Amino acid sequence: MPDAALDLTLSAPVHATDAAIGRVENVIIDPHQGKATHLVVREDALPNTLRLVPEKYIASAGPDGVRLNITQKRAAACKPYIQEDYYSPAFFLSLAKTEDVKLPMAPSSWTVEHPTTPAGSVALAGHEPVRATDGKVGRVDGVLTERHTGRVTHLLLRTGHLWGTREVQVPAGLVAGYEDGDVLLSATKAEIGALPDVHAE
């Protein structure tokens, strides 16, 4: 891996300047800019809150995990990735009145959770199927980015089966798009299979 690259492997440990804080849950990519814009970090401390950590806070990322340039306290102040919207009984009563609908019973409150992935971005979670032009070729394992720009240079791709897996670096230029939870490539399975295993000696 080039010295100027950040290895954002999914599930990698994340360290603040003063403590270990959690693991990489998602890498947020803006396909239009070709950049990794955020990490979603699952905190080790209960209740295991997911935090949306901007890419600018990543100091380094490699085999030992991701190191941030902020303290544990500052990381804990990052925006939660899961947002909760609360709907009171009064909301449902008002809606029923507006729609002139009679409710069969008194409504209760609802809390709806949803991720705060920025509009137009993709949250890679590490299980997305990767499809070559002629079929499925593996699953996402992480991304490599340029240290100073956040530009995605490669996708880390896990190929093969349980007893014969390989990890290869797919150049970002071969990514044709993201669609319905899949990563689409502009290369064939044979072309991807010809890429070297990053762990081969």
Side-chain angles (χ1 to χ4, degrees):
M1 182 178 73
D3 291 339
L6 296 175
D7 181 349
L8 305 177
T9 302
L10 293 152
S11 298
V14 180
H15 305 265
T17 55
D18 52 352
I21 60 170
R23 292 193 170 272
V24 176
E25 186 81 4
N26 305 85
V27 178
I28 307 292
I29 292 177
D30 181 339
H32 305 293
Q33 297 185 49
K35 294 179 63 175
T37 61
H38 298 80
L39 291 181
V40 176
V41 177
R42 181 178 292 279
E43 295 176 335
D44 288 334
L46 293 174
N48 306 125
T49 302
L50 296 172
R51 299 284 176 190
L52 194 60
V53 178
E55 177 271 336
K56 66 182 179 180
Y57 294 144
I58 302 173
S60 64
D64 63 338
V66 177
R67 296 194 175 275
L68 306 179
N69 57 19
I70 55 175
T71 64
Q72 181 180 19
K73 182 177 180 180
R74 178 67 189 85
C78 286
K79 178 181 176 180
Y81 179 56
I82 302 298
Q83 180 176 318
E84 293 185 350
D85 292 336
Y86 173 76
Y87 297 91
S88 69
F91 169 82
F92 294 106
L93 289 170
S94 173
L95 188 63
K97 183 177 180 181
T98 301
E99 297 295 325
D100 196 24
V101 174
K102 185 171 183 178
L103 299 176
M105 63 183 69
S108 59
S109 62
W110 280 56
T111 300
V112 179
E113 295 185 344
H114 59 89
T116 56
T117 305
S121 295
V122 176
L124 297 179
H127 58 270
E128 294 82 4
V130 179
R131 301 192 182 279
T133 56
D134 52 352
K136 182 179 171 183
V137 70
R139 292 187 176 274
V140 173
D141 214 24
V143 299
L144 296 182
T145 69
E146 290 181 342
R147 184 182 302 274
H148 299 296
T149 67
R151 187 177 70 86
V152 175
T153 61
H154 296 81
L155 279 186
L156 298 176
L157 172 65
R158 180 78 53 184
T159 66
H161 302 284
L162 183 61
W163 293 280
T165 60
R166 302 169 64 239
E167 186 178 64
V168 299
Q169 296 177 7
V170 179
L174 294 181
V175 178
Y178 303 87
E179 185 177 293
D180 298 328
D182 293 355
V183 179
L184 308 179
L185 304 180
S186 59
T188 65
K189 290 193 288 186
E191 289 169 329
I192 298 303
L195 294 172
D197 186 341
V198 299
H199 301 295
E201 296 182 359

